[in-house]
Amino acid sequence: MSDTLSQTQRSYNMSRICGKNTKPEILVRKGLHARGFRFRLHNKKLPGSPDIVLPKYGVAIMVNGCFWHGHKGCRYATKPKTNIEFWETKIARNRHRDEVTTAHLEALGWTVITVWECELRGKLESNARLDKLADEIRFIGESKIQQDARRLCSKTELKKMKQEILRRQAQLEAEIDLLFPIPTRIKKASLEE
Ligand SMILES: [Zn+2]
């Protein structure tokens, strides 16, 4: 009985970590704000509704939890010892979604920066990462001004491409279900996630 309870509790905790407005995400937002950047959150009109979007700079930022997004070679991405099949499926789905979403965003002219949870551990590391992030954003923003000038002449073409990519993004979710089906045995248990 108590085992079931702790499992439910852990599943709840995990889903919190996986969701929006996570602690690392808030750290990045605060850090960017303090460095003078203004941004939009979870823009649903863009593939994968990126966590943080800076339209002026053409930058989309994903703040990824190391466990959930399977950060390669990261010591914080260790998998739990129970329900392995379930966690591996979930992580595989997230990784696939991250890859395809990034490709879609890039095709739309966005530059995607991923900030990993482990890069924000400790005040010194966190500040260093945020300084670097600010530099990256400014650098990308410079080249965006040149890109925009080129794009102005093909606005209708860009609109068409945008619609096509959003359509494909919708297909991706169905594709993920096919590629990495969640075993039905545990699908029920995680319905609330
Ligand atoms: Zn990591």
Side-chain angles (χ1 to χ4, degrees):
M1 195 70 178
S2 66
D3 189 50
T4 319
L5 198 72
S6 68
Q7 206 121 59
T8 313
Q9 183 61 34
R10 193 180 56 190
S11 167
Y12 170 77
N13 289 341
M14 293 274 188
S15 73
R16 297 272 301 172
I17 298 161
C18 185
K20 306 278 179 206
N21 306 315
T22 57
K23 199 180 155 201
E25 205 184 307
I26 289 164
L27 255 173
V28 174
R29 281 192 222 163
K30 281 188 176 162
L32 287 180
H33 199 269
R35 285 163 181 80
F37 291 97
R38 299 297 175 260
F39 42 81
R40 294 189 55 180
L41 303 174
H42 311 133
N43 188 343
K44 289 203 175 67
K45 284 184 188 148
L46 289 177
S49 51
D51 297 325
I52 298 166
V53 176
L54 297 104
K56 193 178 145 190
Y57 299 86
V59 171
I61 300 172
M62 313 273 214
V63 186
N64 284 353
C66 299
F67 169 75
W68 278 108
H69 294 263
H71 193 194
K72 269 195 177 151
C74 171
R75 66 197 187 97
Y76 299 105
T78 49
K79 292 179 187 82
K81 288 185 175 65
T82 54
N83 264 337
I84 294 165
E85 193 189 2
F86 174 69
W87 301 120
E88 278 182 348
T89 306
K90 274 235 157 191
I91 291 162
R93 287 166 68 97
N94 283 343
R95 284 183 62 102
H96 185 72
R97 187 181 289 116
D98 290 344
E99 274 170 33
V100 179
T101 299
T102 298
H104 285 174
L105 284 167
E106 283 171 355
L108 288 171
W110 293 85
T111 301
V112 179
I113 303 176
T114 302
V115 178
W116 290 98
E117 181 189 6
C118 62
E119 297 177 300
L120 302 166
R121 294 179 80 96
K123 207 162 169 60
L124 273 179
E125 291 87 344
S126 175
N127 272 329
R129 179 61 183 109
L130 290 168
D131 283 340
K132 195 181 143 214
L133 181 64
D135 286 342
E136 287 175 297
I137 294 168
R138 284 191 205 98
F139 182 77
I140 295 159
E142 292 293 316
S143 64
K144 187 186 175 277
I145 294 166
Q146 294 156 17
Q147 265 181 32
D148 283 352
R150 283 200 299 273
R151 283 232 166 99
L152 267 179
C153 41
S154 58
K155 256 196 168 165
T156 44
E157 215 166 289
L158 197 70
K159 202 177 165 188
K160 245 186 179 165
M161 195 172 80
K162 217 172 197 169
Q163 283 167 346
E164 170 63 13
I165 285 171
L166 289 180
R167 193 183 62 80
R168 268 191 261 158
Q169 182 75 19
Q171 267 180 7
L172 167 67
E173 292 304 319
E175 196 186 297
I176 282 178
D177 279 332
L178 276 176
L179 279 171
F180 311 102
I182 292 181
T184 43
R185 182 167 55 82
I186 42 187
K187 201 183 242 172
K188 258 189 182 162
S190 65
L191 262 183
E192 72 270 22
E193 277 184 60

